[in-house]
Amino acid sequence: MAANALPLADPVARFLEPWQPRPDGAPPWLSRLRERGADALRRIGFPTSRLEDWKYTDPSPILARSYRVADAEPPSDRSGGPASGTPFVGAVFENGRGWFLVGTDRLPAGVTFGFLREQYDGEILRRTLGRLARPERDGFLALATAFLSDGLFLHVQDGVRLAEPLHVVFRTVADAEEGVMVQPRVLVVLGREARVSLVEEHRGTPRASSFVNSVGEAILAPGSEFVHCRWLAEGAEVFHVSHWYVQQEARSRFFSHVLSCGGGFCRSELATSFAGEGGRCELYGLYLGSGRRHVDHHTSIEHRAGECTSRQLYKGILGGHARGVFRGRIVIHPHARKSDAHQANHNLLLSPTAGVDTKPQLEIFADDVKCSHGATIGRLDENALFYLRARGIGLREAREMLVRAFAREIVERVEEDVLRERAEELVRLSLPTES
């Protein structure tokens, strides 16, 4: 990474130095939210590895560097779809600012899909933005709130069900000499019985050291369904910290597919909470690491209502000196009877210098529930390798076949063909090696 390190003294003051109540046309309620974020950061500071939640991930490398706040300059490259030449419905952001929308004329009535800065006067935005992602939760979340300026806003009215997935691309563009700090935001609000699939893809300039601090919130009304694919495919010099919060009302369904394929340092937190009976969530994640990449995933599922079901499966494939962290927490609150929760984390280490820390947690405070959790760490099956080689397959090819088979269980959970194909492409390009 570029040698632009600054002393660690008072990182809060240094990160907030460019902050000010900017005259960007923001309404008073948004200015107050930003000030609340800045105040929270001054009060709680950034997390350190002394905290239990950050025990295995040291955030100091992020704070030891300086970044300029990204300029609002129109991008020269107006491409940016899920794949070159692929038609899609979605939005493209560059350095945190939305620049263009694609195919939105195909959206049905009852769908609002656009940039946060163009919805400042909207009542739904005012009532929901920051409701789940409270800045007092975490220093990085507070920082993102203080600098909140733009992002994606998606509102689907009652009964509207979208067949075609939406796609939002967040590009981080910087040069190798000076990194940028960008803080993209996503807010999703679904009405009763609404349905939508959203792909959130993050890309970055190779060899540019930057800091992406993203936040997402989703509020799911009764009977709604939200399919969320979150793909991180940034350059090896990018620090990426993210927080996602989901609130599920009765009978709502939430499906999460996370592919962590890029970035030198990645920390992702995903939390969902059942606020009504009969809900369901399924969380699937795949993280790939090579070189000296550090990738950390934290999940939290709160069963606050009865008769809800949660399923969770995260897998890691790590080679070289890569380090993985997984912490999955499930809480069954009192009165959440007949909860059904299962969680698993499996890891495949391709080299003796790769490592992983996994910490499944299950806290039960109710009777009449069905819960389980588990974690494994292992290496390639030598018997399977021998089987493949005995059939004339070379060692390198045989290893790759087994690694891809390990990853396939996650990728195949993506139901839409076009999304699954894109996920397969990302995995294929990012599979780690032993060295």
Side-chain angles (χ1 to χ4, degrees), residues 86-407:
T86 303
F88 72 108
V89 177
V92 177
F93 288 71
E94 185 164 300
N95 287 348
R97 184 176 177 85
W99 287 107
F100 54 97
L101 302 170
V102 181
T104 51
D105 56 336
R106 302 206 300 269
L107 292 175
V111 178
T112 303
F113 180 86
F115 306 135
L116 277 179
R117 67 177 188 273
E118 297 176 350
Q119 304 291 330
Y120 282 165
D121 296 330
E123 175 63 16
I124 294 177
L125 184 68
R126 186 189 66 78
R127 285 193 287 107
T128 54
L129 188 64
R131 193 172 102 186
L132 303 180
R134 299 191 300 275
E136 294 80 10
R137 289 174 179 264
D138 178 276
F140 289 109
L141 182 52
L143 178 69
T145 305
F147 283 88
L148 199 164
S149 63
D150 201 5
L152 178 75
F153 176 66
L154 170 60
H155 175 226
V156 184
Q157 294 182 8
D158 293 355
V160 178
R161 303 178 71 83
L162 277 71
E164 186 175 4
L166 307 178
H167 203 120
V168 55
V169 177
F170 290 104
R171 298 191 303 212
T172 301
V173 178
D175 55 50
E177 300 300 322
E178 185 181 34
V180 297
M181 177 174 69
V182 296
Q183 317 211 53
R185 192 96 179 190
V186 176
L187 174 63
V188 177
V189 181
L190 300 189
R192 288 175 175 267
E193 309 296 337
R195 184 196 183 280
V196 69
S197 293
L198 175 69
V199 180
E200 175 191 347
E201 185 168 346
H202 292 261
R203 306 174 186 172
T205 305
R207 298 179 296 282
S209 175
S210 297
F211 172 38
V212 178
N213 187 25
S214 66
V215 178
E217 299 171 89
I219 299 171
L220 312 185
S224 61
E225 180 175 316
F226 179 39
V227 180
H228 184 212
C229 299
R230 192 164 190 275
W231 297 336
L232 308 179
E234 296 153 316
E237 304 296 315
V238 171
F239 296 100
H240 190 126
V241 176
S242 69
H243 295 79
W244 251 98
Y245 299 96
V246 180
Q247 177 176 295
Q248 296 187 242
E249 300 295 340
R251 301 177 288 98
S252 62
R253 295 159 63 87
F254 171 51
F255 301 91
S256 170
H257 305 273
V258 176
L259 293 181
S260 183
C261 304
F265 178 107
C266 172
R267 161 85 177 202
S268 295
E269 296 192 17
L270 169 61
T272 186
S273 176
F274 292 111
E277 293 187 346
R280 183 181 183 88
C281 76
E282 298 184 16
L283 313 184
Y284 302 106
L286 178 65
Y287 45 93
L288 311 173
S290 57
R292 295 189 176 275
R293 186 176 188 230
H294 185 96
V295 54
D296 180 351
H297 284 276
H298 281 215
T299 64
S300 172
I301 302 175
E302 302 256 3
H303 285 251
R304 296 182 179 275
E307 301 184 18
C308 294
T309 301
S310 64
R311 295 288 183 270
Q312 184 175 17
L313 176 61
Y314 268 64
K315 285 189 170 185
I317 304 174
L318 303 166
H321 292 76
R323 195 79 186 175
V325 180
F326 174 81
R327 179 192 177 202
R329 181 169 179 257
I330 300 174
V331 182
I332 311 296
H333 288 267
H335 312 298
R337 297 169 65 86
K338 298 188 182 303
S339 292
D340 184 352
H342 296 277
Q343 177 197 89
N345 172 234
H346 302 304
N347 297 278
L348 180 60
L349 302 183
L350 303 180
S351 73
T353 50
V356 64
D357 295 291
T358 178
K359 186 179 181 182
Q361 291 179 267
L362 182 56
E363 302 172 28
I364 302 175
F365 302 99
D367 297 326
D368 191 15
V369 300
K370 186 166 60 176
C371 302
S372 68
H373 66 161
T376 63
I377 302 172
R379 302 188 184 279
L380 286 176
D381 186 340
E382 292 297 332
N383 291 329
L385 273 177
F386 177 80
Y387 176 87
L388 292 173
R389 297 202 68 193
R391 279 147 183 81
I393 300 174
L395 178 60
R396 181 175 178 178
E397 185 180 0
R399 286 179 177 274
E400 184 175 323
M401 290 175 64
L402 293 178
V403 173
R404 294 181 68 172
F406 182 80

